[in-house]
Amino acid sequence: MGGSENSLWELTGVYANMARALNHYSKYRGRYDAADYHMPVYTPAEKIKPDLEKSGMIDAGSIYYTFEAMQEVMRPGEELLWQQMASSQRVAWKTGTSFGFRDGWAIGVTPKYVVGVWVGNTTGEGRPGLTGVSTAAPAMFEIFRLLPVTRDWFGVPVNDMVKLKICKQSGYRAGQYCDNTEDRWMPQGGLRAPVCPYHQLVHLDKTGQWQVNADCVPADEIVNKSWFILPPAMEYYFKTKNYQYKTLPLLGPIAT
């Protein structure tokens, strides 16, 4: 495909491997089968006893959240409102476009099926507008509409996850000053994620109009409050979409 060394057959097989590993993780009660990763085949291989391991090539929690993110991508054309249609099914999908619009591809994954579509010229000649999302993706979703419809989704691999407290405003692990949090199952690698850097403790006067310190007002009149503070460039754009965002008060005058 394009200038890479992967074919659609190989890349579709990679997504099939991940889906197979995630399905079997629940089936084998938190174990991985090394045989889940293999090149695609046209005919089913003879079943052998699974070679179960405690760890896999990719951990189940990471695969699950990768598929979760991929299914939230806005679908093209008539698929835009898929969530409101009973006949639609959940699909984790990804597209790609080669340099020079030589070809486009799309791959979709469900717990039962993996569909890969390639669109392009066999000569490698590019065409303006030949992109994966505009050409290959519609064909891929049309194929999914022809397959048996199911709303089933991958099971949450909680055995490979940890429950973390997450800051709902920033998405980081909650810090000591985060006051709006939720508990979520996350891959174990989330334990190494940084805590929220945007909630900080600020010192205000009684009115909340000024930032102060002991040089401004008596110490017993200082109000300590958690505040969501973004860097100036981020704050500029964030405020246009989030009307509840409050700019940090200015520094108060020093008492004389």
Side-chain angles (χ1 to χ4, degrees):
M1 295 187 294
S4 75
E5 297 179 356
N6 289 325
S7 67
L8 181 69
W9 177 254
E10 294 169 329
L11 192 56
T12 303
V14 171
Y15 284 91
N17 291 340
M18 292 191 293
R20 191 181 301 113
L22 187 54
N23 281 332
H24 286 170
Y25 184 82
S26 299
K27 178 181 177 180
Y28 299 141
R29 299 182 179 181
R31 298 281 180 164
Y32 297 89
D33 184 359
D36 284 338
Y37 290 88
H38 58 75
M39 289 292 292
V41 294
Y42 283 107
T43 57
E46 181 181 353
K47 290 186 178 180
I48 59 175
K49 185 178 180 180
D51 180 17
L52 301 182
E53 303 173 340
K54 290 185 178 180
S55 59
M57 184 178 298
I58 306 176
D59 66 84
S62 297
I63 297 174
Y64 176 80
Y65 273 109
T66 297
F67 287 167
E68 282 285 287
M70 289 168 59
Q71 73 146 337
E72 294 296 332
V73 178
M74 185 177 296
R75 299 187 183 184
E78 298 177 356
E79 289 284 331
L80 184 61
L81 301 177
W82 69 275
Q83 292 171 312
Q84 302 178 18
M85 304 177 188
S87 60
S88 295
Q89 56 185 323
R90 301 172 70 175
V91 179
W93 63 290
K94 180 74 175 68
T95 65
T97 304
S98 67
F99 179 78
F101 303 103
R102 291 195 297 269
D103 56 21
W105 59 268
I107 297 176
V109 184
T110 71
K112 291 187 176 181
Y113 302 102
V114 178
V115 175
V117 174
W118 178 91
V119 176
N121 298 302
T122 56
T123 61
E125 182 181 359
R127 286 285 187 273
L130 200 164
T131 64
V133 70
S134 63
T135 58
M140 180 197 69
F141 283 114
E142 181 64 28
I143 293 173
F144 272 113
R145 282 196 289 268
L146 299 176
L147 295 172
V149 175
T150 174
R151 298 288 291 184
D152 295 339
W153 193 239
F154 299 98
V156 182
V158 292
N159 290 338
D160 193 53
M161 293 183 170
V162 292
K163 185 170 284 189
L164 296 178
K165 196 171 291 293
I166 304 299
C167 175
K168 295 182 71 172
Q169 286 181 277
S170 69
Y172 281 84
R173 287 178 59 197
Q176 60 177 322
Y177 301 127
C178 297
D179 50 11
N180 186 10
T181 64
E182 63 177 344
D183 292 330
R184 297 190 62 180
W185 288 104
M186 304 295 292
Q188 294 189 25
L191 291 170
R192 299 189 297 271
V195 299
C196 176
Y198 302 124
H199 275 99
Q200 301 176 27
L201 189 67
V202 298
H203 311 296
L204 308 175
D205 67 348
K206 289 183 177 180
T207 67
Q209 182 180 1
W210 303 101
Q211 289 188 73
V212 295
N213 55 37
D215 293 330
C216 304
V217 297
D220 60 350
E221 295 183 10
I222 295 177
V223 177
N224 300 319
K225 186 174 182 180
S226 171
W227 205 283
F228 186 58
I229 306 171
L230 293 176
M234 293 175 62
E235 179 184 84
Y236 175 83
Y237 292 101
F238 189 83
K239 287 194 298 185
T240 63
K241 302 293 184 180
N242 298 270
Y243 68 93
Q244 293 181 328
Y245 180 82
K246 296 181 180 179
T247 302
L248 187 66
L250 297 175
L251 293 173
I254 297 177
T256 57

